[in-house]
Amino acid sequence: MSTAASYLSAVSEADARARAHGGTPNSTPALSLSSSLTGSSEDTVLDDTGADVVDALLYPRVPPTSEQVFTTVHTEFGHCANEKYRFTSQHRAGTPYKSNPEQDPPYYIVLTTYLSYLMVICLGHLRDFIGKRMRPSRYKHLMAQNGYAALNSDFDSFYTRRLKTRIDDCFSHPVTGVPGRTIVLLDRYSPDYNVTMIPTGTRTRALNISSYNYLGFAQGKGACADAVEESVIRYGVCAGGTRLEGGTLDLHLQAEALVARFIGMEDALISSMGFATNSTIIPALVTKGCLVVSDEYNHASIRYGVRLSGASVRMFKHNDMQSLETLLREVISQGQPKTHRPWKKILLIVEGLYSMEGTLVNLPVVMELKKKYKFYLFIDEAHSIGALGPHGRGVADYFGINPRSIDILMGTFTKSFGAAGGYIAGNKALVDRLRLRGHSGTYAEAMAPPVLTQVIASMSSIMGVTIPVEKSSSPALPLLRASSVDTHVSEFEPECAYPGTAPVSALPVWMPLAPTLVDGSDGQMRLRRLAFNTRYLNRGLRKLGFITYGHDDSPVVPLLLFGPGKMAVFSRMMRTRATPIVIVVVAYPATPLVLSRVRFCLSAAHTKEDVDMVLTACDEIGDFLDLKHGAGERWPLQEIIDRAVELVNMPEAP
């Protein structure tokens, strides 16, 4: 809204309309069927383009009560007061870890998938052959001319031109606004088979199951947003605050100290880009004469960093501990190539949660191998930090393992924390060395103050904040003391305990402290809601008969589609439903050629009704596209919805 008065007026009008409905909701209402926004209306907190849109989509149907306080609009974060829809993400002690077994589809599915690619490839080559002779002007960039070589390789660009272009409407869709529980799509169409896209000028609000917004911190309202707003006022774009040498602010030091405390390590180093954290730090860890043992499904940033380092690299089968141990025995016994001298250093690099597969690293077995073979361990927790474990501290928290028994923990702030950048955590001597030798600290730009504030605020809301007896400089102190809330206490054993709360001295003195941020209740609620949504969708899809990969507690749920044509149709059918659903489809080269899939990304911002909607859509589209080829017991859709709590709390199959 342009002014505070207009905002309050809109709130009052929406409140009056909502009271006419009566009743008190326990959760955010489901998205309305009238979910399209047309014209040039602004995507504000209360978009008054029509009563139906305001009531059903942008504001709760009835106003909050004293027992139910909504601090955000429900398009960004769905509100759910039902405590049954909660779960704690934690591995059961004494039980071996295992992911859901990968299932093979029927032979006719594999055969038709290969035939589909064969047909598209043959037709593509035929079109290239004819087109270069009939319409050479369209192929100038692929043919040598005037003594110049072709600008692009004909062979290298074939997949993009002849396969990906056919389904380009499923990728890179322009959006606007906050990528929270819902997201607003800018509608477009193509008059030339996806070669160009033309905006229509209209917008569509859709349920967002495509963003890495695991804890729902992608919000324009709430405690974190208030803290970020205050930092912009105080620091501006690039100046202000207590500036240290090298472009470092006091906020950088506070953020690094808080990250180290959150992770459970001695020290941490933050970087302004997650990809660069891996690609610039790994060369500072290993060099020529060292060996990197890498999981075959490790992220591109890890592969790039290893190439830059000059170290030798050997890969083992994805999450296969027997393959890993066999490889370790071989490389240790053989030593360096040619000379057979012992390796200077052996570094095992794995990911905590593999975002394309939905699998977790088998950390208990890895730790046993570490004790036996004496290698260094580097874990990339880009997707697992904040999303796994009873305290949100990643895979070490999930498995109940002391984080300091791991040499290096890397993670990003772009997923669970709603910010940007990444971190490296370890012992102080190691981190101090990386500050000098890592390229990210020397050549990269420092993180901006608003981003740092978002990191600090979101981590604090998970940890909770310890308020001292006297802190007169905090204007919110009387309110915080009046809330009479208990601080979060770690349930870990002393030898692997995480610091329970963040001392208020570790936070900026000017940062506003909401009661829910101080007591950690907001963060714990988000962690438990994410765990419930994750298990519900994972298990619900399998009960419907779909083939899915990964672990029940993974917030990324890959559903196998196989055929390239089915991938495009699945995405379009989800997006064009009465209540549109935005998803991510993934194909070669990100996956093996015949293992195309859709990845659902769950969030704490989603309600149980949102997951019901996704299951309903998958059930209908799965029947239409013949996607239900999974083994095991099947339940009808309504039974899955009715028995959701029971389904989530079922123990894992032996």
Side-chain angles (χ1 to χ4, degrees):
M1 294 296 172
S2 57
T3 64
S6 60
Y7 175 83
L8 292 176
S9 175
V11 170
S12 177
E13 293 174 7
D15 182 48
R17 286 194 300 269
R19 287 182 184 275
H21 293 284
T24 301
N26 288 325
S27 63
T28 296
L31 293 180
S32 169
L33 297 182
S34 58
S35 57
S36 294
L37 305 177
T38 57
S40 59
S41 59
E42 297 295 329
D43 182 29
T44 56
V45 175
L46 292 174
D47 188 340
D48 207 359
T49 55
D52 291 338
V53 174
V54 172
D55 286 343
L57 207 57
L58 298 176
Y59 201 73
R61 290 188 180 277
V62 297
T65 65
S66 58
E67 293 81 16
Q68 180 188 21
V69 180
F70 293 163
T71 57
T72 58
V73 289
H74 71 278
T75 53
E76 298 176 359
F77 190 90
H79 302 281
C80 177
N82 192 335
E83 288 296 324
K84 293 182 180 179
Y85 301 148
R86 307 284 193 271
F87 190 80
T88 299
S89 169
Q90 188 171 19
H91 179 71
R92 290 186 300 168
T95 60
Y97 163 81
K98 71 171 188 175
S99 296
N100 298 307
E102 295 186 2
Q103 302 179 32
D104 295 324
Y107 285 118
Y108 79 90
I109 294 294
V110 178
L111 179 61
T112 54
T113 299
Y114 277 112
L115 289 176
S116 298
Y117 277 108
L118 180 62
M119 181 173 64
V120 172
I121 291 171
C122 291
L123 289 176
H125 282 298
L126 180 62
R127 291 184 63 184
D128 281 354
F129 179 82
I130 297 175
K132 288 179 180 179
R133 287 155 180 79
M134 303 295 294
R135 296 181 178 179
S137 60
R138 293 190 177 183
Y139 293 86
K140 284 184 178 180
H141 61 296
L142 299 177
M143 297 187 296
Q145 53 184 330
N146 300 326
Y148 289 95
L151 187 62
N152 300 110
S153 168
D154 189 350
F155 179 80
D156 291 344
S157 65
F158 180 83
Y159 178 85
T160 303
R161 291 183 295 107
R162 294 308 183 196
L163 281 81
K164 181 178 179 293
T165 303
R166 292 174 176 266
I167 57 174
D168 245 359
D169 61 309
C170 301
F171 306 106
S172 305
H173 207 118
V175 299
T176 184
V178 175
R181 172 182 173 245
T182 68
I183 196 168
V184 177
L185 304 177
L186 302 180
D187 300 327
R188 61 183 183 175
Y189 72 96
S190 176
D192 50 11
Y193 304 103
N194 295 336
V195 176
T196 57
M197 297 287 181
I198 300 176
T200 63
T202 61
R203 301 180 300 163
T204 299
R205 184 176 291 279
L207 182 64
N208 181 19
I209 316 289
S210 62
S211 298
Y212 292 138
N213 182 31
Y214 295 143
L215 292 183
F217 282 119
Q219 299 176 189
K221 295 288 181 179
C224 292
D226 293 341
V228 171
E229 183 178 358
E230 181 66 21
S231 75
V232 173
I233 295 173
R234 289 180 174 270
Y235 287 86
V237 178
C238 59
T242 304
R243 181 175 295 278
L244 307 176
E245 57 273 4
T248 302
L249 298 174
D250 54 339
L251 275 178
H252 291 89
L253 303 182
Q254 290 173 325
E256 289 183 340
L258 188 64
V259 168
R261 185 177 182 88
F262 182 83
I263 301 301
M265 288 291 200
E266 289 184 19
D267 200 0
L269 166 67
I270 61 176
S271 173
S272 58
M273 182 181 177
F275 189 100
T277 304
N278 274 334
S279 59
T280 61
I281 290 297
I282 292 177
L285 291 170
V286 290
T287 57
K288 186 178 181 181
C290 299
L291 174 68
V292 173
V293 179
S294 176
D295 189 290
E296 64 177 340
Y297 287 165
N298 274 347
H299 192 261
S301 60
I302 297 174
R303 294 167 178 256
Y304 188 67
V306 173
R307 289 196 191 101
L308 292 178
S309 71
S312 300
V313 59
R314 294 289 299 273
M315 292 192 294
F316 63 95
K317 293 182 180 179
H318 172 59
N319 225 12
D320 187 331
M321 296 298 103
Q322 185 176 356
S323 171
L324 172 59
E325 184 168 16
T326 301
L327 178 60
L328 287 170
R329 288 180 176 180
E330 176 190 343
V331 297
I332 292 175
S333 64
Q334 295 298 318
Q336 297 186 39
K338 298 182 180 179
T339 64
H340 297 289
R341 293 177 179 175
W343 298 101
K344 294 179 181 178
K345 190 187 304 177
I346 298 179
L347 178 66
L348 173 64
I349 303 182
V350 294
E351 295 187 35
L353 169 62
Y354 294 85
S355 63
M356 209 60 71
E357 306 296 317
T359 51
L360 312 181
V361 62
N362 195 341
L363 190 57
V365 176
V366 169
M367 297 308 296
E368 291 299 321
L369 293 176
K370 184 177 186 297
K371 294 176 183 177
K372 185 176 181 180
Y373 293 100
K374 308 300 180 185
F375 54 78
Y376 293 100
L377 178 59
F378 181 114
I379 301 182
D380 180 339
E381 292 210 90
H383 290 269
S384 55
I385 190 66
L388 292 175
H391 313 99
R393 314 295 174 92
V395 288
D397 184 18
Y398 180 82
F399 288 106
I401 292 174
N402 187 347
R404 297 202 180 187
S405 62
I406 301 169
D407 300 292
I408 306 160
L409 286 172
M410 174 270 174
T412 62
F413 306 122
T414 55
K415 280 79 176 178
S416 296
F417 305 105
Y423 68 84
I424 288 286
N427 64 60
K428 193 176 188 317
L430 172 67
V431 174
D432 286 343
R433 182 68 172 173
L434 293 178
R435 294 184 197 278
L436 298 175
R437 299 200 58 181
H439 292 171
S440 59
T442 307
Y443 299 109
E445 292 289 339
M447 292 174 67
V451 179
L452 292 166
T453 306
Q454 173 69 21
V455 172
I456 294 172
S458 57
M459 281 193 175
S460 300
S461 69
I462 299 173
M463 300 174 69
V465 180
T466 303
I467 301 295
V469 177
E470 292 295 335
K471 186 176 179 355
S472 58
S473 58
S474 177
L477 188 56
L479 175 62
L480 298 175
R481 288 176 180 160
S483 63
S484 299
V485 290
D486 295 329
T487 56
H488 171 64
V489 179
S490 174
E491 299 174 358
F492 269 61
E493 296 298 326
E495 65 268 20
C496 58
Y498 290 95
T501 58
V504 73
S505 59
L507 309 181
V509 68
W510 48 261
M511 195 174 92
L513 301 176
T516 54
L517 184 149
V518 172
D519 65 6
S521 61
D522 180 65
Q524 285 300 305
M525 176 270 294
R526 293 171 186 266
L527 289 170
R528 300 189 70 222
R529 282 187 57 180
L530 172 63
F532 178 89
N533 293 340
T534 291
R535 289 175 74 90
Y536 179 32
L537 183 61
N538 262 303
R539 295 184 168 190
L541 288 173
R542 286 200 301 278
K543 289 296 184 185
L544 286 174
F546 292 99
I547 297 178
T548 64
Y549 282 175
H551 193 271
D552 286 348
D553 292 324
S554 165
V556 180
V557 186
L559 186 153
L560 274 293
L561 302 176
F562 302 104
K566 293 181 179 181
M567 179 176 60
V569 175
F570 191 97
S571 176
R572 292 163 183 163
M573 292 183 71
M574 293 288 275
R575 195 173 65 245
T576 55
R577 292 179 65 83
T579 300
I581 301 175
V582 178
I583 60 170
V584 174
V585 289
V586 188
Y588 179 84
T591 68
L593 187 66
V594 297
L595 295 181
S596 301
R597 65 197 66 178
V598 53
R599 289 191 309 159
F600 298 107
C601 300
L602 274 300
S603 171
H606 296 133
T607 64
K608 191 260 184 184
E609 290 74 16
D610 294 337
V611 184
D612 291 344
M613 189 180 298
V614 174
L615 288 171
T616 302
C618 289
D619 184 51
E620 297 172 3
I621 299 174
D623 288 333
F624 180 78
L625 295 180
D626 188 26
L627 297 176
K628 298 180 179 180
H629 305 293
E633 180 186 8
R634 296 193 184 185
W635 292 5
L637 174 65
Q638 194 57 47
E639 183 178 359
I640 294 173
I641 294 174
D642 295 339
R643 299 174 60 185
V645 176
E646 177 187 347
L647 184 64
V648 167
N649 288 282
M650 283 182 178
E652 285 80 4

